[in-house]
Amino acid sequence: MPYCTVEAARNAGATGDDAVVAAWITAAQEQIERYTQQLFEPTDRVVAADVGADGLVILPRRVRQITAVMPVLEADDGPSIPSSAWRVTSSDVLGQVDAVHLAWGGWDDLVVGAESYNGGWLGLWERWGAEQVKVAGTFGYAEVPLLVQQACALLAADMQAKAQPSDADAEQDSSLQVDDEGNNVAIEDSDDAPSSEPVSAASSTGSTQVDALLSGYLNRGPSLIGGI
């Protein structure tokens, strides 16, 4: 779901037919996510995060639902641990943080290595020696905040204006894809595969006005490592 409407982007200054404006909205949305390190709609993701000394795993996105928690081991990812071995909190609840809390004090006599007489979950984790976990689930805001909607519309128009080539530029660079109104629409990445590398935060969206609107949503937490 787009972070703003085509009409809102046009009101902010974007031009072209619906498909062109929608493409710039998509580009603006991706830049907003890189800058804030947030997702503003429910999205399936796999994230990696460090395990704290007390079993607290701070997650880099607003949590909606967690479906799997796996230790990151040297040889390969460890097995998904049962939901009885962890609990989840979300910043959707006032006063809570986005985190998985590993059950250091618990055990499960039905799980090999996590039995009560074998040190429980903490004993199993110590034998694994895992310092990170991969967490699969759904992350993001339930709906797009108003300021993010406004920022997306402004950024779509700003990115389009900055990318629009002059007539001279278009003649010199035949690779520029320009529509009938002079808009550069070559903004799509041809690789649709999800990235397996950490997504680094952008220092700015490219617009100081948009940066100011998004300042309350910045998150510089652990890395996003992939998509489902």
Side-chain angles (χ1 to χ4, degrees):
M1 178 179 176
Y3 287 175
C4 72
T5 64
V6 168
E7 180 182 6
R10 280 209 179 96
N11 289 339
T15 60
D17 62 26
D18 286 358
V20 169
V21 176
W24 285 109
I25 290 172
T26 298
Q29 182 168 320
E30 292 172 353
Q31 183 64 9
I32 286 171
E33 291 175 1
R34 280 194 294 270
Y35 176 61
T36 62
Q37 293 290 282
Q38 294 277 19
L39 299 166
F40 295 102
E41 61 180 355
T43 307
D44 289 342
R45 285 289 185 269
V46 177
V47 300
D50 294 335
V51 179
D54 56 354
L56 177 64
V57 181
I58 299 295
L59 298 174
R61 304 288 186 274
R62 175 165 289 194
V63 173
R64 309 229 65 80
Q65 182 182 20
I66 299 302
T67 56
V69 177
M70 300 154 282
V72 177
L73 307 179
E74 288 187 7
D76 200 355
D77 293 338
S80 178
I81 60 177
S83 58
S84 60
W86 45 268
R87 65 181 179 87
V88 178
T89 56
S90 171
S91 59
D92 248 356
V93 178
L94 185 63
Q96 296 284 2
V97 295
D98 298 301
V100 166
H101 306 256
L102 300 174
W104 271 182
W107 66 85
D108 190 334
D109 288 339
L110 299 179
V111 177
V112 176
E115 302 92 345
S116 56
Y117 55 82
N118 208 9
W121 292 114
L122 178 57
L124 178 59
W125 207 271
E126 288 177 340
R127 287 189 291 276
W128 274 333
E131 297 180 352
Q132 284 192 321
V133 292
K134 285 183 180 179
V135 180
T138 304
F139 300 84
Y141 282 65
E143 56 187 31
V144 184
L146 183 60
L147 287 179
V148 176
Q149 294 179 40
Q150 184 179 357
C152 185
L154 290 169
L155 186 58
D158 183 70
M159 292 175 72
Q160 183 187 43
K162 290 176 178 176
Q164 184 170 323
S166 66
D167 293 340
D169 290 337
E171 289 179 3
Q172 292 175 9
D173 188 352
S174 60
S175 68
L176 289 173
Q177 298 177 21
V178 182
D179 65 14
D180 292 338
E181 297 185 7
N183 298 313
N184 177 15
V185 296
I187 61 174
E188 295 185 2
D189 189 341
S190 60
D191 184 4
D192 295 328
S195 172
S196 61
E197 297 298 322
V199 177
S200 58
S203 59
S204 171
T205 61
S207 165
T208 55
Q209 183 180 10
V210 172
D211 289 354
L213 288 172
L214 297 174
S215 61
Y217 299 97
L218 297 180
N219 177 8
R220 296 298 186 242
S223 300
L224 169 70
I225 63 170
I228 300 177

